[in-house]
Amino acid sequence: MARITVRNEGASFEMPDNAPFIDYARDNTSIMFGCMKGECGICIITIVKGKENLNPPVHEEWLKLQKMGATPGQRLACQLWVKKGEIEIEY
Ligand code: FES
């Protein structure tokens, strides 16, 4: 099991290893989701800790983040797969 801490909500939840983040974030956080395809950018979050426990961004996500002027720690939550371990985010 992986543990996700949502810093700005002061909450955390567990989810299975090697699973899509969105499947658990929708029930356990108030992160806004829109297109769920990495296109609208509404789900941008900051990875505070544990980026090594996530899938790396694919080229399309990287391009979208660049266009949005994202900082290096930011990702699109709808594009995340959690590998394992501890991850801390804020949004
Ligand atoms: S929900 Fe649209 S980019 Fe994530």
Side-chain angles (χ1 to χ4, degrees):
M1 295 290 272
R3 171 161 292 278
I4 314 297
T5 299
V6 186
R7 179 183 276 189
N8 58 297
E9 292 183 356
S12 66
F13 64 94
E14 289 186 335
M15 60 175 282
D17 294 343
N18 300 308
F21 177 71
I22 192 171
D23 288 356
Y24 299 88
R26 293 175 91 184
D27 288 340
N28 291 288
T29 77
S30 297
I31 296 170
M32 299 276 290
F33 290 99
C35 68
M36 297 188 280
K37 294 188 265 180
E39 295 173 356
C40 72
I42 197 170
C43 67
I44 192 166
I45 63 171
T46 299
I47 311 303
V48 180
K49 291 181 191 163
K51 71 177 182 186
E52 68 280 5
N53 294 330
L54 299 167
N55 64 319
V58 296
H59 188 63
E60 289 77 11
E61 182 188 355
W62 185 84
L63 282 177
K64 179 68 182 174
L65 289 166
Q66 294 301 305
K67 283 185 193 163
M68 294 175 69
T71 61
Q74 291 184 304
R75 297 287 306 270
L76 299 175
C78 69
Q79 301 299 296
L80 296 180
W81 275 70
V82 173
K83 293 193 234 172
K84 62 178 182 174
E86 302 270 337
I87 297 158
E88 185 171 342
I89 65 167
E90 65 182 0
Y91 62 94

